[in-house]
């Protein structure tokens, strides 16, 4: 059974299915030959057995990245840009294979996987361009005989730890700016989705990047790998995307060697529908931001606040739209909602629904596990929700939409901000003064107005409060991988 699936995938994926880690330009097994299983969330079938590395191999990868840094950081921006452009083109040339692999290991509908591969590629293209624009300054000097300039230099060896919800794009948006800046990288993808990371390594190899510049450690012992990546003084930067809990641990661990860190952590996005909103547009935006990837993105809507005067209209239209979402295999082109990543995720969100109902929420649709489909949970709507319910205090990361009624602008902004998180937020209104007031009042790193889709390469993605720090994408994304050096030249008489 295992072999059949593996062969089928290998044929489909055009040689991009790799099961060994990639260190110093070589495909390697773990020192003790151990492997771990990668399964398809649709039916829990085994897709591949992947090398299960530990701390000592991680140290080797860091050493090889350090060696490669000596020459990679000295290449011209033009040289790095050219290789990144090659990688960009290769990723686009292989959209279909990469998307299929992504759907197989992650579960999301193929249309979303194709979108992710294009989105992931866009970071490579963008930073191939930005590589050439890491300008420093000349600064008017404080002394007659002195001249001042600033240089921007690559931080050094970068560690990247990435999650399973975007197995390609969460990697490219870290490694593209890192490589563009002249850094070398060691990546640890989530154990649920290592195949997309390894496929990317195969493309990096094909593009002709020098050995040691790009390394991937696959493992299901995240802590062991994370301990080495954070304790090793050679690593000068950690870029992490994942839960706030693990992010806090990694920040603590990085403090011993005072590493630069970027943290993209959890969210609790409010989605506010004001009474002056276009309700049909708001429904479309809520569907897009709530149910993309079955609700498993850190910018997914977590709480929907609807003004009293339009509450029932919104709920009725939203329910009609939600009931049209087709659940199924991600490989089926009709599917809008795939499986959740595993049965623990199903148990977690089912618990949130049951508790909310216990606390007085009303179930409008969904809300029950599906008997013969362990990893699926139907798109669910809850009304009569209050902001203090457990479901509003947690990042749901699944297909449940809790709806809360509000009456006034100040009240809803206060409720929206009443969370330790501060990643994405959304609201719908056609009142320009309110649009300014609410945008400024929301304590979030990102605000979407009259849209449920805000992620793009060209804008700075990131959060405040316990949603993290640092920005990815845009002209700011490069700074995360650069140090500013100030040079003072004396004796100029
Ligand atoms: P999620 O709940 O989305 O899986 P996690 O924060 O647990 O989010 O995982 C995000 C990434 O962090 C994954 O690559 C995971 O393997 C890794 N990870 C989890 N725990 C640790 C840890 N203690 N040290 C280093 N990496 C970790």
């Amino acid at each position: 059974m295992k072999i059949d699936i593996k062969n089928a995938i290998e044929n489909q994926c055009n040689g991009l299915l790799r099961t060994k880690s990639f260190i110093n330009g070589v495909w390697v097994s773990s020192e003790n030959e151990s492997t771990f299983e990668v399964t398809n969330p649709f039916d829990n079938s085994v897709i591949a057995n992947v090398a299960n590395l530990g701390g000592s191999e991680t140290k080797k990868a860091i050493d090889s990245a350090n060696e490669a840094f000596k020459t990679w950081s000295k290449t011209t921006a033009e040289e790095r840009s050219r290789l990144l452009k090659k990688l960009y083109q290769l990723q686009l040339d292989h959209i279909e294979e990469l998307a299929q692999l992504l759907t197989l290991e992650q579960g999301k509908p193929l249309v979303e996987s194709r979108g992710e591969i294009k989105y992931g590629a866009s970071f490579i293209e963008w930073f191939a361009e930005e590589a050439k624009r890491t300008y420093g300054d000349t600064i008017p000097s404080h002394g007659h005989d002195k001249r001042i300039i600033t240089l921007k230099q690559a931080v050094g060896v970068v560690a990247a730890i990435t999650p399973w919800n975007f197995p390609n794009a969460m990697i490219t948006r870290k490694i593209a700016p890192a490589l563009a800046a002249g850094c070398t990288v060691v990546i640890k993808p989530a154990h649920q989705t290592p195949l997309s990371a390894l496929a990317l390594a195969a493309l990096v190899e094909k593009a002709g990047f020098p050995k040691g510049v790009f390394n991937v450690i696959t493992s299901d012992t995240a802590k062991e790998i994370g301990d080495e990546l954070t304790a090793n003084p050679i690593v000068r930067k950690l870029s992490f995307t994942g839960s706030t809990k693990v992010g806090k641990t990694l920040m603590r661990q990085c403090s011993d060697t005072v590493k630069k860190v970027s943290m993209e952590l959890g969210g609790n996005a409010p989605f506010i529908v004001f009474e002056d909103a276009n309700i049909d547009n708001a429904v479309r935006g809520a569907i897009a931001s709530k149910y993309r990837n079955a609700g498993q993105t850190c910018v997914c809507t977590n709480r929907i606040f609807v003004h009293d005067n339009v509450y029932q209209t919104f709920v009725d239209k939203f329910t009609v739209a939600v009931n049209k979402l087709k659940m199924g295999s991600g490989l089926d082109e009709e599917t809008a909602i795939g499986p959740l990543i595993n049965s623990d995720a199903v148990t977690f969100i089912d618990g949130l629904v049951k508790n909310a109902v216990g606390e007085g929420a009303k179930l409008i649709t969904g809300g029950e596990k599906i008997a013969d489909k362990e990893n699926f949970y139907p798109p669910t709507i809850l009304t009569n929700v209050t902001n203090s319910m457990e479901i509003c205090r947690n990042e749901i990361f699944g297909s449940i939409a809790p709806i809360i009624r509000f009456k006034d602008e100040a009240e809803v902004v206060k409720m929206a901000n009443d969370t330790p998180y501060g990643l994405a937020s959304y609201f719908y209104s056609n009142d320009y003064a309110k649009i300014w007031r609410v945008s400024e009042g929301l304590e979030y790193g990102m605000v979407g107005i009259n849209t449920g889709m805000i992620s793009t390469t060209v804008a700075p993605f990131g959060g405040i409060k316990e949603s993290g720090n640092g920005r990815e994408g845009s002209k700011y994304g490069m700074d995360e991988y650069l140090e500013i050096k100030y040079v003072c030249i004396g004796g100029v008489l």
Side-chain angles (χ1 to χ4, degrees), residues 124-138:
I124 308 175
E125 183 189 39
W126 174 266
F127 286 107
E129 293 157 353
E130 288 296 289
K132 294 180 279 186
R133 291 188 261 281
T134 55
Y135 304 124
D137 304 303
T138 57

Side-chain angles (χ1 to χ4, degrees), residues 345-367:
V346 173
T347 304
F348 174 70
I349 68 168
D350 188 53
L352 289 178
V353 170
K354 300 288 178 298
N355 273 351
V357 170
E359 288 176 287
K362 187 171 162 204
L363 189 61
I364 301 296
T365 188

Side-chain angles (χ1 to χ4, degrees), residues 394-449:
N394 278 276
E395 185 175 29
I396 299 169
F397 235 65
S399 45
I400 312 166
I403 306 183
I404 302 157
R405 191 189 294 263
F406 75 92
K407 289 196 168 136
D408 135 309
E409 180 187 319
E411 171 205 12
V412 76
V413 171
K414 188 163 177 245
M415 283 195 287
N417 290 338
D418 182 18
T419 166
Y421 295 108
L423 193 59
S425 57
Y426 309 87
F427 68 92
Y428 276 68
S429 168
N430 285 311
D431 173 339
Y432 78 92
K434 187 186 284 170
I435 285 175
W436 274 108
R437 280 195 308 270
V438 175
S439 301
E440 289 168 358
L442 287 170
E443 294 166 359
Y444 287 83
M446 297 175 282
V447 185
I449 303 153

Side-chain angles (χ1 to χ4, degrees), residues 161-165 188-192 219 222-227 240-247 249-250 253 397:
I161 300 180
T162 55
W164 49 259
N165 61 343
K188 194 216 75 70
H191 72 89
Q192 296 92 336
S219 178
K223 186 176 177 321
E224 189 178 336
I225 313 304
D227 286 353
F240 172 74
T241 299
S243 62
T244 294
K245 182 166 173 275
V246 173
T249 302
L250 294 173
Q253 291 179 195
F397 235 65

Side-chain angles (χ1 to χ4, degrees), residues 107-109 293-294 326-330 335-340 375-377:
K108 68 176 68 173
N293 201 9
K326 187 171 173 283
M327 258 195 320
S329 160
T335 294
I337 305 268
L340 296 183
N375 300 338
F376 280 83
Y377 201 81

Side-chain angles (χ1 to χ4, degrees), residues 34-37 50-54 188-192 217-225:
S34 71
T35 59
F36 64 96
E37 288 181 346
V50 169
N52 199 7
L53 274 56
K188 194 216 75 70
H191 72 89
Q192 296 92 336
I217 300 287
T218 50
S219 178
D220 70 355
T221 53
K223 186 176 177 321
E224 189 178 336
I225 313 304

